[in-house]
Amino acid sequence: MWSFALLREGLSCTKASSCFRKLGYLPLSTFRRCVAAHRGEPKVQDFSCLDQFFAMSFAQLTYRVSLRDIEVNLRAQDKRLYHMGFRCQRISRNTLANANANTTRPWQIYADFAQHLIGMARPLYANEPLGVDLDATVYAFDATTIDLCLSVYPWAPFRRAKAARAP
């Protein structure tokens, strides 16, 4: 069973091994069922949906700000990728960018997995005080704006000097 108690001290990780130790408690069989249900890997050769999930979770937990930053940090652990849960040989920016493209993999895989994790966490924290009285259930999602270069990503105009906009 997923251990939310390990994450109570906070999600910030300073070392890659610490992050992947925390990710090791995820119900990966459920994730694989979500991938199969949405046919997320029909043409995938090397970089699986699970590899993408691990890479993006690592990026979120360690406050990585770009694909280059993710790539550099994971390539520094190149010899240990297999032991961290990755099944790909190498992480590159192009592979991450292609995997994160909306047309490549269905987003419903990750939405279903998140709903499963929320369903597991809800009873564990049902009796814990929030510090605020709420009438309904509240979910918090990260909606961080990511700066993009407009010359490379013309589809994401936001301002003259910045990019990224909700579709």
Side-chain angles (χ1 to χ4, degrees):
M1 173 131 193
W2 164 259
S3 176
F4 286 94
L6 281 177
L7 297 176
R8 276 192 188 174
E9 72 272 4
L11 287 174
S12 65
C13 297
T14 55
K15 295 181 180 177
S17 60
S18 173
C19 289
F20 288 101
R21 217 174 298 128
K22 291 178 182 182
L23 292 175
Y25 289 94
L26 291 170
L28 297 182
S29 60
T30 302
F31 184 81
R32 289 185 184 100
R33 279 195 300 273
C34 293
V35 171
H38 294 288
R39 293 180 293 181
E41 297 182 337
K43 298 178 184 176
V44 173
Q45 294 177 0
D46 187 37
F47 195 68
S48 69
C49 290
L50 186 59
D51 290 338
Q52 179 189 13
F53 178 75
F54 281 154
M56 299 316 291
S57 297
F58 168 78
Q60 182 71 31
L61 294 172
T62 59
Y63 304 109
R64 301 292 133 215
V65 295
S66 67
L67 291 177
R68 183 180 304 273
D69 196 8
I70 298 167
E71 176 195 30
V72 166
N73 279 275
L74 288 175
R75 281 205 176 171
Q77 305 290 330
D78 217 14
K79 303 288 187 219
R80 299 182 190 133
L81 286 178
Y82 183 85
H83 301 292
M84 292 181 196
F86 288 94
R87 296 302 175 249
C88 59
Q89 298 297 316
R90 168 167 264 207
I91 307 281
S92 68
R93 285 188 310 276
N94 189 37
T95 304
L96 281 170
N98 290 338
N100 290 339
N102 291 336
T103 58
T104 307
R105 298 171 192 214
W107 58 268
Q108 293 89 347
I109 294 169
Y110 306 101
D112 288 353
F113 188 56
Q115 286 299 319
H116 179 78
L117 292 177
I118 289 169
M120 292 174 70
R122 182 175 281 147
L124 294 174
Y125 292 95
N127 297 326
E128 297 226 359
L130 290 175
V132 178
D133 290 329
L134 302 172
D135 294 333
T137 303
V138 176
Y139 298 107
F141 293 100
D142 184 5
T144 305
T145 302
I146 301 170
D147 295 335
L148 299 173
C149 176
L150 287 173
S151 63
V152 178
Y153 301 102
W155 51 264
F158 180 62
R159 294 186 198 130
R160 284 194 191 277
K162 291 189 175 187
R165 172 183 100 202

